[in-house]
């Protein structure tokens, strides 16, 4: 084969690949715009949400905060932005895209140790931000911090969307299966605690000892920036949700207390709250409250926000 023919074949291959990638991008974007469940929520938060109060966090946020109850107490519209399986890195990026469009009156940030503090592989927290890449400087900076060569990878639509392809198809075909209510809340009903009884027997309340925590520098950076970049006219509160079993929090969350102190942000800690501790009737599993627990907690946290954030005056 001559050099000229080889070069022409190479050019044809590159052209075909680029064409396929562009077509794939159109297909993925179409799927994303029609998919239900978590993708529909992401699009709503990205383009339409205008709630006065937003709740940020992982599955604790998704399942523990009932917007209707918060709204009744705070007298402001509320949307639950919690995204299961995600943490402070995703939240920092999503909040940046929200600020780009409008400024809420109150941001509630639910903190969880594993996804907001501890060192781990952070690449999984970028999936829901891939659509936002190239449209927001903060989002782009997260990609570069986690993977310096992502600026090249993200040029390819096949890379940008491939990890979500199966989920996109499932949530397009089964769009009506949405697990979230219109206000973003996803209730859990009943209890699955019996499945964990053998573990509970091994870990009696009060027996857990504080362990050394290896903090993740990027996660701490995101916590710092969320607190420091709070917009004018927007109040903020950090919250630790209740747990079924007793946990040691003094050491692990001191860094969060410090960030809140330096930025004048209240930090409400319900992790070992006796009103919830050991209450089988209020928990779906060891880490998540059921709908009964979420309603009780939402009422309590709303009252405490009125007192500690608004001085019991509420929003005028």
């Amino acid at each position: 084969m001559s050099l000229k023919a080889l070069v022409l074949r190479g050019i044809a291959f590159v052209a075909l690949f680029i064409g396929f990638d562009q077509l794939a991008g159109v297909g993925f974007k179409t799927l994303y715009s029609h998919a239900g469940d978590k993708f529909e929520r992401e699009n709503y938060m990205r383009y339409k949400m205008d709630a006065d109060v937003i709740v940020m966090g992982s599955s604790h946020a998704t399942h523990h905060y009932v917007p209707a109850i918060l709204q009744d107490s705070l007298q402001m519209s509320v949307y639950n932005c919690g995204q299961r399986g995600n943490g402070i890195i995703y939240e920092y990026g999503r909040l940046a895209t929200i600020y780009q469009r409008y400024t809420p009156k109150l941001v509630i940030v639910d903190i969880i140790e594993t996804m907001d503090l501890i060192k781990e592989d952070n690449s999984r927290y970028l999936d829901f931000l891939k659509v936002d890449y190239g449209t927001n400087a903060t989002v782009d900076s997260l990609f570069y911090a986690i993977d310096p060569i992502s600026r090249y990878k993200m040029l390819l639509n096949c890379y940008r969307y491939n990890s979500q392809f199966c989920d996109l198809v499932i949530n397009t075909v089964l769009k009506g299966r949405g697990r979230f209510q219109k206000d973003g809340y996803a209730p859990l009903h009943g209890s699955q605690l019996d499945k964990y009884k053998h573990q509970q027997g091994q870990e009696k309340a009060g027996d857990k000892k504080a362990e050394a925590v290896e903090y993740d520098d990027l996660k701490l950076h995101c916590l710092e920036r969320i607190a420091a970049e709070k917009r004018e006219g927007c109040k903020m509160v950090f919250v630790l949700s209740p747990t079924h079993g007793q946990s040691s929090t003094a050491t692990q969350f001191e860094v969060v207390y410090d960030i809140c102190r330096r930025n004048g942000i209240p930090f409400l800690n319900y992790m070992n709250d006796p009103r919830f501790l050991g209450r089988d009737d209020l928990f779906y599993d060891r880490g998540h409250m059921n709908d009964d627990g979420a309603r009780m907690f939402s009422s309590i946290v709303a009252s405490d926000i009125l007192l500690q954030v608004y001085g019991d005056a509420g929003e005028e």
Side-chain angles (χ1 to χ4, degrees), residues 161-176:
Y161 294 102
N162 68 341
S163 63
Q164 296 180 318
F165 176 71
C166 291
D167 262 355
L168 281 169
V169 172
I170 290 171
N171 284 286
T172 300
V173 174
L174 302 176
K175 187 172 182 177

Side-chain angles (χ1 to χ4, degrees), residues 240-259:
L240 272 176
S241 294
T243 52
H244 180 265
Q246 191 169 23
S247 301
S248 175
T249 63
T251 302
Q252 288 93 324
F253 293 99
E254 183 55 40
V255 64
V256 184
Y257 277 106
D258 182 56
I259 290 172

Side-chain angles (χ1 to χ4, degrees), residues 32-33 35 37-54 77-81 94 97-98 101-102 181-184:
Y32 208 107
S33 65
D37 202 52
K38 55 190 176 183
F39 298 104
E40 187 173 24
R41 288 177 77 244
E42 284 293 316
N43 278 331
Y44 178 75
M45 288 185 273
R46 190 178 283 117
Y47 303 122
K48 297 180 180 180
M49 182 180 69
D50 59 358
D52 297 325
V53 181
I54 61 173
S77 59
V78 182
Y79 191 83
N80 189 327
C81 300
R94 176 57 61 236
T97 66
I98 292 170
R101 197 165 51 80
Y102 87 107
Q181 296 181 353
K182 288 184 178 180
D183 54 18

Side-chain angles (χ1 to χ4, degrees), residues 202-237:
Q202 296 170 9
E203 290 185 11
K204 295 181 180 179
D207 285 349
K208 293 182 71 175
K209 297 180 180 179
E211 298 177 357
V213 175
E214 185 179 3
Y215 293 117
D216 186 292
D217 290 340
L218 180 58
K219 289 179 178 179
L220 293 185
H221 170 76
C222 291
L223 276 168
E224 288 271 9
R225 299 322 304 161
I226 283 178
E229 294 172 6
K230 176 170 60 69
R231 293 298 182 89
E232 183 178 353
C234 175
K235 297 184 182 295
M236 186 171 286
V237 59

Side-chain angles (χ1 to χ4, degrees), residues 68-82:
I69 293 176
L70 295 171
Q71 184 167 311
D72 285 346
S73 296
L74 301 176
Q75 292 299 295
M76 292 184 282
S77 59
V78 182
Y79 191 83
N80 189 327
C81 300

